[in-house]
Amino acid sequence: MTASQAHPATGTAGPSPDAIGPKPMPRRFHQASWDEPIIFELSAPGTRGVLLPEVEPGIRERVGDPVAALPVGVRRRTPPALPELAQIHVVRHYTRLSQENLGVDLNIDVGQGTCTMKYSPKVNDQLIRSPRLADLHPLQDPATIQGVLEIMWRLEQILCEISGMSRVTLQPGAGSAAIWTNVSMIRAYHAARGEGDRRDEIVTTMFSHPSNAACAKTAGFRVVTLMPDPDTGRPSLDALRAAVSDRTAALLITNPEDTGIFNPEIDDFVRIVHEAGGLCSYDQANANGILGITRAREAGFDLCHFNLHKTFSTPHACGGPAAGACGVTEDLAPFLPSPTVERDGDRFFLDADRPESIGKVRPWYGVAPNIVRAYAWIMSLGATGLREVAEVAVLNNNYLMHRVLGLRGSSAPYAAGKRRIEQVRYSWDELTRDTGVHSEELGVRMADFGTHYWTSHHPFVVPEPMTLEPTESYSRADLDEYAAMLGAVVREAYAEPETIRTAPHRSTVHQVRHEWFDDPARWAVTWRAYCRKHGGGGLAATPDAGRDSPPSSGAAHPAAAPDA
Amino acid sequence: MRDGPHLGARPSIGLVVNPIAGLGGRVGLKGTDTPEVVARALALGAIPQAPRRAAETLLALHSVVASRGDPQPGLLVGPGDLGESAARLAGAAATVVVEAVHDGQTTAADTRQVARAFESAGVDLLLFAGGDGTARDLAAAVDERVPTLGIPAGVKVQSAVFATSPHTAGEISAAFLAPASRRTTAEREVVDLDEAAYRRGEVAPLLHGYLRVPASRSIQSRKAPTPPGEAAAMAAAGAEVVASLPIGQPCVLGPGTTVRAVAEQLGVPKTLVGVDVVVPGPGGARLLAGDAGEREVRAAIGAGPVSIVVTPIGGQGFLFGRGNQPIAPAIIRAAGRDAVIVVATPAKLAALGGRPLLVDTGDAELDRALAGFITVITGRAERVVVPVAPA
Amino acid sequence: MTDQPATSPPAGAHPYIPNSASTVKAEMLATIGARDMEELYAEVPERLRLRRPLDLPAPMSSEAELVRHVEGLLGRNTSTRETISFLGAGCYDHFVPAVCDEINGRSEFLTAYAGEPYEDHGRFQALFEYASMMGELLEMDIVNVPVYDGYQAAATALRMAARVTGRHRFLLTDAIGRDKRSKIADYVAPDLELMSVAIDAATGELDLAVLEASLDDTVAAVYVEQPSYLGIVETQGGTIAQLAHAAGALVIVSVDPSTLGVLAPPASFGADIACGDIQPLGIHQQFGGGHGGFIATADDPHLVLEYPSRLFGIAPTLVEGEYGFGDVAYERTSFAVREDGKEWVGTASALWGITAGVYLALMGPQGMVELGERMMARTRYAMARLAELPGVRLPFGASHHVHEFVLDLNATGRTVAEVNRALLARGIHGGKDLSTEFPALGQSALVAVTEVRSQADIDRLAGALGEVIR
């Protein structure tokens, strides 16, 4: 919007000499930066943040002091050295820390490719705060929890339809946990057929999430990884045939993969593995662009999984809590984690009588608040809404790709000239050859504009990678603004790379001295370890007068005293 | 021979320039390894590039160090065109370590002498401007004893010891010598092409050795644990190979650091750039032939079953290359395709981006038989399927 | 699926999809030179295309209808605010301070994810502080960024011990929940072998004779819980550690952090790895959806090496006095000789970790001491009141408890299921029925008493139970 745009109400046109003027693009962002001490440094002896109910005299008279009866060595000798703060100071400290983040609510979060950083509707956050979800115990009599059981059952049915699978479990805590669950069921399936020892290999691909290989390996399988074809960007059928044998327990594959390239031969992949007696599990963490377009069932898969915190909008919460869902065919259903949610007329119940179940993959039944959020999100959209989600996500992605490929030094390797689905893995290889600036450095400089991006999993197959996934939540103006920020950083790479190498400049803090993290003598994962290794009192002397925080104790950690 | 200047607590750099490196490039000659080619290049009007590129590096280094407020490193240079002129171009103060030994054209021997002088003076980082040929000279002179970094200034720059540009070389040097730096280094291959073959249009890199090169810290991945470093990954892959070797059967070990990791697990010494033959036993292995040529290999493996362990060499990933490779076609045929064990770290394969590993045994039919897909051992319980193609 | 009244789909943009307005879409398609959306899906072959709409319930696109619908469903639940709960077994009804909900409700935290320790510095600092406060509770210098839950923490701790020692057998206390054991068994297969160590029938603590007889040089670790699943405080920790260490085995203790104001931390009696669940620290029960797992050790590189989860470290930045953070990412040099599979790292429970940090900061040292003391007092009172009832016994009454105990109803002639149904009719959730999980205990219940169970609540339970078993 320019200053010369006519005001809708007055109709006057053109800027006046006193006009404030338009905002520049990219904007003159600076992140909140509170220089906030570590909470231990804010400790003021004798203060309290919250009080507990006192024990009634009637109880005291009856039981005396049970703590005193604890044997020496069992009773804690000294109170834990936690910080002491008044309530307002806890609130202020954490509110300041909360400002020092860039999540979906604050930035055009298209840079965290494969994370599907879409809008998490606030109404769902409010709904889950109800005591009739937040204050339910999982062991309550089923008669008192029919509502949450019904929501779980309904979400399972919805995910069955979205995937085409016959049964769903919502027990896993997140995506990797769901992959684990599928791998465990695959293991149980073959063991039940007496083939557990023979089928000791799992096939996956280089562009799948590393958790596929990691879960398979942890479960005792040998992992065989397929490299992508250098032209198409996805493994060839010949490569698959070379990897599959009568030792193959399963194929774990993502489609589209992290490149955003759809594998049109996916059903052939499944057929080849089935012919060898293996199962096929579909990692559908990247489902956002294909909802209502194509399903696991029609491609022939035996298992699949979804991330509720990606495709289905539950918030990422700094890295969890999240939620995962696994879908299976009827053949795999006996192995589902226990208990399952069942319906009998208008009554819902938990069925733990499942002799072939793999058992538990986590406590209780699932991350209930996220199950409710996902359910509500889907219910607000319906089938046409989900189709719209997928189509706009794909349109946004291809539009952003058009903008990014217009920037100097960028490329989108593989599948030249073809569209992508919901994300793109770009390469800044040309820019790096031209300027010596690396992709990771560009990413850090983006923080100075109020955003960021993610490169890729390791090891890097695409050199100097950048993976962007717009989702359906961002507008065209958002995408243009993101491209403008990226463009500004690219121009700097060619014109003044030193600015990028010394970034960030307008973020919360400056470049971190990473070498500490590799050195056992210097690393410190807790404040007590830091004080022990580096002396107490923090990284600088603490002034007292004039600060609005309570005076720091300034004392070294008690355990850091030399003769402690 | 510590007769160099006392530089005190300041870090120091030794810069040696190969003044004729890259001379052939602009005039269409492929490399400048022999005096005859150099003469031809000069006759064609070629101008030395290396000193100017070295000067670019010095300027970048100076600028980055100054912007950080750190003390400038001390600079030692070779005499005349071997470094002194580059320092003058950059306006950098420098100390010449070795007196000029002769007039006229500099040779590889001069490069090596200067490098050894730097080592004796105790430099913290050795910079050289040149190409693969110069890298070979450095490897011969200092091996892996001094951290070394290449300023690309040659036509053939295939070795993994070069910065991407002269400017980047300056930045890497500055970062490496910074007070807070951990001075992490990594072993990197020095390869060079058989130039005569190269001029005929044939590409066949030979592994000549290794240099210890400043390595940037692997950047953390936020969504996954940091992958193991190269050494750990090699050890894991090596252990997995050992677990698959039949006891009592001769095994031919090709060159390369990943195969050396196999040898370490077996408890036998390994010729880094050559071929050894071992026989695994219950508690380790016995060396049958070390740094063997084709004849020694054939004698050592005898007539029965044999396995071959190789790792991809060079940026393009050559499994078997032409030339004086001791693992001759007859030996590969005798072993059979299934007895060829390829070992590599995941990072090495990822860098290929899906492009095939290359074979160039000298026997086209054998190359075709080796082509297809091969399962590479990349770690404990880890395999990667990679295409193989004739070069 | 069509039992809800249909609302017509919106004729225009959906609030969650800014670009769903048709004019914008057409312009964007034109910009990229695509004729229509089908062109963007050209790579999906026709045979794999779903050519019918998904059969889903009619949507509620207005927020008011959506709220009404979901609240209607939730309305069929009865919460523990309405019914007094004595349920525990790994999920506890502690008081959640308002500040905890305030901080984990802040969308700056709620919608952040995996940025760098620059633009997401706040998240790193909040998690470093959580780990630091847990470090004080546990008296250990290394605490991880939370894993999914306490079951995962225990299972991973076992695998870590296997990697460290190179051994593959584990001695697990019998006093462990069946669900947790199931998760552990699923997770450590096929590499690790689990063996049980009986508890003493009188004290409920670990039977040391059985432990000693079971220890040999194939055992990687001994695993116990503090308090045990049955609520009993283990007083023999020092001896257990001595026996284990003498055999070259590690000691893994799963500890309830809400008890660490009064109980000595596992490190004090020789535990090598402490683990557990942070749900009791300022996190609502949420039908079992509020869990996070911690793993803690000493700052020994051999142990640090084996963590599959993230460890956030503090470091200086280029500016003096400024804190920076990042992943402690020590090069994993032991792949060759140790147990493989460093498991994985994924999205887990970070915001619960931050919440637990807020809780510990609010409580402070004195608050945690009071929490433990007051739970112990209330629990001891409940045990005394209930044991007065005819036929009601405390099989481990002489042992120490903090917030949970076993109630034996065998002599009443009633089943726990019957009793709990009757209690529910009186507005009370009775303790967990242990009869299938621990058949040796017969008709017994696991009763939890936290700091918010008032004397009146407990008296009410005693009165109601007395009526029910009469």
mmCIF file of all heavy atoms in Angstrom, chain A residues 412-424:
data_model
loop_
_atom_site.group_PDB
_atom_site.id
_atom_site.type_symbol
_atom_site.label_atom_id
_atom_site.label_comp_id
_atom_site.label_asym_id
_atom_site.label_seq_id
_atom_site.Cartn_x
_atom_site.Cartn_y
_atom_site.Cartn_z
ATOM 1 N N ALA A 412 16.017 -24.960 -7.331
ATOM 2 C CA ALA A 412 15.221 -26.025 -6.712
ATOM 3 C C ALA A 412 15.642 -27.317 -7.392
ATOM 4 O O ALA A 412 15.143 -27.664 -8.458
ATOM 5 C CB ALA A 412 13.726 -25.769 -6.916
ATOM 6 N N PRO A 413 16.595 -28.035 -6.798
ATOM 7 C CA PRO A 413 17.140 -29.219 -7.474
ATOM 8 C C PRO A 413 16.098 -30.291 -7.706
ATOM 9 O O PRO A 413 15.092 -30.374 -7.010
ATOM 10 C CB PRO A 413 18.201 -29.734 -6.482
ATOM 11 C CG PRO A 413 18.468 -28.629 -5.559
ATOM 12 C CD PRO A 413 17.223 -27.804 -5.501
ATOM 13 N N TYR A 414 16.340 -31.087 -8.706
ATOM 14 C CA TYR A 414 15.510 -32.223 -9.091
ATOM 15 C C TYR A 414 14.227 -31.785 -9.786
ATOM 16 O O TYR A 414 13.741 -30.660 -9.628
ATOM 17 C CB TYR A 414 15.124 -33.108 -7.891
ATOM 18 C CG TYR A 414 16.269 -33.567 -7.044
ATOM 19 C CD1 TYR A 414 16.375 -33.163 -5.711
ATOM 20 C CD2 TYR A 414 17.252 -34.412 -7.546
ATOM 21 C CE1 TYR A 414 17.418 -33.601 -4.918
ATOM 22 C CE2 TYR A 414 18.301 -34.844 -6.746
ATOM 23 C CZ TYR A 414 18.375 -34.438 -5.437
ATOM 24 O OH TYR A 414 19.414 -34.865 -4.644
ATOM 25 N N ALA A 415 13.668 -32.733 -10.541
ATOM 26 C CA ALA A 415 12.367 -32.543 -11.184
ATOM 27 C C ALA A 415 12.257 -31.176 -11.842
ATOM 28 O O ALA A 415 11.320 -30.424 -11.588
ATOM 29 C CB ALA A 415 11.244 -32.729 -10.165
ATOM 30 N N ALA A 416 13.228 -30.902 -12.696
ATOM 31 C CA ALA A 416 13.269 -29.587 -13.326
ATOM 32 C C ALA A 416 11.971 -29.310 -14.081
ATOM 33 O O ALA A 416 11.460 -30.163 -14.804
ATOM 34 C CB ALA A 416 14.452 -29.534 -14.288
ATOM 35 N N GLY A 417 11.446 -28.102 -13.886
ATOM 36 C CA GLY A 417 10.259 -27.692 -14.627
ATOM 37 C C GLY A 417 8.960 -28.241 -14.063
ATOM 38 O O GLY A 417 7.885 -27.898 -14.552
ATOM 39 N N LYS A 418 9.026 -29.089 -13.043
ATOM 40 C CA LYS A 418 7.777 -29.656 -12.503
ATOM 41 C C LYS A 418 7.347 -28.896 -11.260
ATOM 42 O O LYS A 418 8.162 -28.316 -10.552
ATOM 43 C CB LYS A 418 7.986 -31.125 -12.148
ATOM 44 C CG LYS A 418 8.316 -31.961 -13.379
ATOM 45 C CD LYS A 418 7.898 -33.395 -13.191
ATOM 46 C CE LYS A 418 8.495 -34.216 -14.311
ATOM 47 N NZ LYS A 418 7.627 -35.143 -14.922
ATOM 48 N N ARG A 419 6.055 -28.951 -11.004
ATOM 49 C CA ARG A 419 5.515 -28.313 -9.811
ATOM 50 C C ARG A 419 5.883 -29.135 -8.586
ATOM 51 O O ARG A 419 6.272 -30.289 -8.673
ATOM 52 C CB ARG A 419 3.982 -28.225 -9.921
ATOM 53 C CG ARG A 419 3.490 -27.576 -11.188
ATOM 54 C CD ARG A 419 3.722 -26.093 -11.202
ATOM 55 N NE ARG A 419 3.154 -25.470 -12.400
ATOM 56 C CZ ARG A 419 3.296 -24.181 -12.694
ATOM 57 N NH1 ARG A 419 3.974 -23.386 -11.882
ATOM 58 N NH2 ARG A 419 2.760 -23.696 -13.798
ATOM 59 N N ARG A 420 5.717 -28.507 -7.437
ATOM 60 C CA ARG A 420 5.880 -29.207 -6.174
ATOM 61 C C ARG A 420 4.522 -29.315 -5.499
ATOM 62 O O ARG A 420 3.578 -28.637 -5.893
ATOM 63 C CB ARG A 420 6.850 -28.452 -5.266
ATOM 64 C CG ARG A 420 8.237 -28.289 -5.835
ATOM 65 C CD ARG A 420 8.973 -29.609 -5.863
ATOM 66 N NE ARG A 420 10.391 -29.417 -6.164
ATOM 67 C CZ ARG A 420 10.914 -29.474 -7.383
ATOM 68 N NH1 ARG A 420 10.141 -29.684 -8.429
ATOM 69 N NH2 ARG A 420 12.207 -29.287 -7.553
ATOM 70 N N ILE A 421 4.456 -30.117 -4.477
ATOM 71 C CA ILE A 421 3.200 -30.217 -3.723
ATOM 72 C C ILE A 421 3.216 -29.122 -2.659
ATOM 73 O O ILE A 421 2.983 -27.965 -2.980
ATOM 74 C CB ILE A 421 2.990 -31.617 -3.132
ATOM 75 C CG1 ILE A 421 3.018 -32.683 -4.240
ATOM 76 C CG2 ILE A 421 1.665 -31.713 -2.367
ATOM 77 C CD1 ILE A 421 1.840 -32.625 -5.204
ATOM 78 N N GLU A 422 3.537 -29.434 -1.426
ATOM 79 C CA GLU A 422 3.327 -28.443 -0.364
ATOM 80 C C GLU A 422 4.590 -27.782 0.159
ATOM 81 O O GLU A 422 4.516 -26.842 0.937
ATOM 82 C CB GLU A 422 2.554 -29.094 0.789
ATOM 83 C CG GLU A 422 3.410 -29.757 1.868
ATOM 84 C CD GLU A 422 4.194 -30.982 1.385
ATOM 85 O OE1 GLU A 422 4.214 -31.274 0.172
ATOM 86 O OE2 GLU A 422 4.808 -31.641 2.244
ATOM 87 N N GLN A 423 5.767 -28.256 -0.260
ATOM 88 C CA GLN A 423 6.999 -27.619 0.208
ATOM 89 C C GLN A 423 8.066 -27.770 -0.861
ATOM 90 O O GLN A 423 7.881 -28.512 -1.823
ATOM 91 C CB GLN A 423 7.478 -28.213 1.532
ATOM 92 C CG GLN A 423 7.874 -29.680 1.470
ATOM 93 C CD GLN A 423 8.131 -30.251 2.857
ATOM 94 O OE1 GLN A 423 8.355 -29.523 3.807
ATOM 95 N NE2 GLN A 423 8.077 -31.557 2.961
ATOM 96 N N VAL A 424 9.151 -27.027 -0.698
ATOM 97 C CA VAL A 424 10.248 -27.104 -1.663
ATOM 98 C C VAL A 424 11.554 -27.144 -0.891
ATOM 99 O O VAL A 424 11.725 -26.408 0.080
ATOM 100 C CB VAL A 424 10.270 -25.883 -2.609
ATOM 101 C CG1 VAL A 424 11.421 -26.004 -3.618
ATOM 102 C CG2 VAL A 424 8.947 -25.744 -3.354
#
